[in-house]
Amino acid sequence: MIKKIHITAFLIVVTILMVTFFVRDWLVFYQCGAVEQCLVDASNYQNIAKFAVTAIVTVIVFFIGRNAICARDRRFLQAAFVMALCADFCLKILHNYSHFLDHRSDYTLLGICFFMVVQALLIYRHTRTDDHETNSPWILCIPFGVMFLANALHLFRIFEGPTVPIVATYGAFLICSLVVACKVPKKGYFPEKNAKNIKRGMILFFCCDACVGLSLATGDDHSVQEVVATVANNFVWYFYTPALILLALSGYRRKA
């Protein structure tokens, strides 16, 4: 009962943070339009609040304890959320507050690499059909194959920098993770409600990253392309926050 009260309190705080930064994102967009520097300068609260959301949901995952489906499932989920926390630290804190360093784009790529690990761990978790299963899922061959091919092309200077190979590899991890998650309810290993949370959480995760892809569009300030990118960026955490919550709650055996 005490644990349930704590989790409810955490979720209330997350909901309040989500509402405030979502409203703040649109107010800033109304004030700044698609002027990038203005958006960056007015987004300090949002960056901190968004990272706080990931931190709080990670705490919820570490509260699972004996309410886990099994110890192995709890470890996979906790490891995935620690990696997600590292990724968001790179993307929301280091990228936005390390102005004295000339490595902001490197923090973005590092964050994407952490998210690759997140998706790999989730693939391992969501392909399991037994509490003691240790086999590696074959579907991981696809993103690792994409990684090998993209990096080979990079070595032959088909791509000028590491961005395209890293983004392509993460895209492969994400799609494979989504496919695996959508099959979870049919496998019967996870309890029905947990399985639905996994499927819905990963669908929202995919929508979040689709918005990230659109937000990478660049153009002149106030151009249609830049406006679309800014609007898409404002919806990233609209999908990402409930995705984190659903995946976190999927680790709790009901009664928690």
Side-chain angles (χ1 to χ4, degrees):
M1 178 60 71
I2 294 176
K3 181 181 289 189
K4 188 173 183 178
I5 292 171
H6 286 162
I7 293 170
T8 302
F10 284 137
L11 291 176
I12 290 172
V13 173
V14 167
T15 302
I16 292 171
L17 287 172
M18 179 182 176
V19 171
T20 57
F21 67 61
F22 190 67
V23 171
R24 175 69 181 164
D25 275 338
W26 288 104
L27 286 175
V28 169
F29 177 60
Y30 176 77
Q31 294 166 356
C32 297
V35 180
E36 183 178 0
Q37 192 56 52
C38 179
L39 291 169
V40 171
D41 293 340
S43 297
N44 288 337
Y45 169 76
Q46 294 94 299
N47 292 328
I48 295 172
K50 289 170 183 177
F51 177 70
V53 163
T54 307
I56 293 170
V57 180
T58 301
V59 171
I60 291 175
V61 171
F62 276 85
F63 261 66
I64 292 176
R66 296 180 180 178
N67 298 110
I69 294 170
C70 70
R72 185 184 290 268
D73 184 73
R74 182 183 67 235
R75 288 194 292 270
F76 271 121
L77 193 59
Q78 289 173 344
F81 268 83
V82 169
M83 292 296 101
L85 188 64
C86 292
D88 284 331
F89 182 72
C90 292
L91 295 170
K92 307 311 298 182
I93 304 299
L94 291 179
H95 176 81
N96 294 292
Y97 297 103
S98 296
H99 299 295
F100 55 91
L101 296 174
D102 294 325
H103 301 291
R104 295 183 68 194
S105 61
D106 294 337
Y107 294 135
T108 298
L109 295 179
L110 180 59
I112 295 172
C113 289
F114 275 121
F115 271 124
M116 286 185 204
V117 181
V118 171
Q119 298 302 341
L121 289 167
L122 291 178
I123 289 171
Y124 266 101
R125 179 191 184 223
H126 299 155
T127 52
R128 293 174 57 250
T129 56
D130 184 87
D131 289 351
H132 305 290
E133 186 177 6
T134 57
N135 293 335
S136 297
W138 67 266
I139 199 169
L140 280 175
C141 294
I142 296 174
F144 281 114
V146 172
M147 179 187 295
F148 175 81
L149 178 62
N151 281 284
L153 292 174
H154 176 54
L155 288 176
F156 287 103
R157 301 191 181 281
I158 302 298
F159 307 120
E160 293 184 1
T163 302
V164 172
I166 289 176
V167 171
T169 302
Y170 176 67
F173 271 107
L174 177 66
I175 293 171
C176 291
S177 186
L178 176 64
V179 170
V180 165
C182 288
K183 293 180 179 180
V184 167
K186 298 179 181 178
K187 290 190 173 182
Y189 170 69
F190 289 91
E192 182 180 358
K193 194 162 186 178
N194 299 69
K196 288 180 178 178
N197 282 344
I198 289 170
K199 181 178 178 179
R200 292 167 182 167
M202 276 309 306
I203 290 172
L204 288 170
F205 211 128
F206 181 84
C207 292
C208 153
D209 283 328
C211 288
V212 171
L214 288 173
S215 73
L216 295 176
T218 57
D220 297 330
D221 289 342
H222 302 299
S223 70
V224 173
Q225 189 178 12
E226 197 70 21
V227 170
V228 170
T230 305
V231 170
N233 186 64
N234 283 358
F235 276 103
V236 169
W237 282 76
Y238 177 79
F239 294 114
Y240 185 51
T241 303
L244 290 177
I245 292 172
L246 287 171
L247 289 172
L249 295 181
S250 74
Y252 281 84
R253 186 177 290 279
R254 290 307 146 188
K255 291 184 180 180

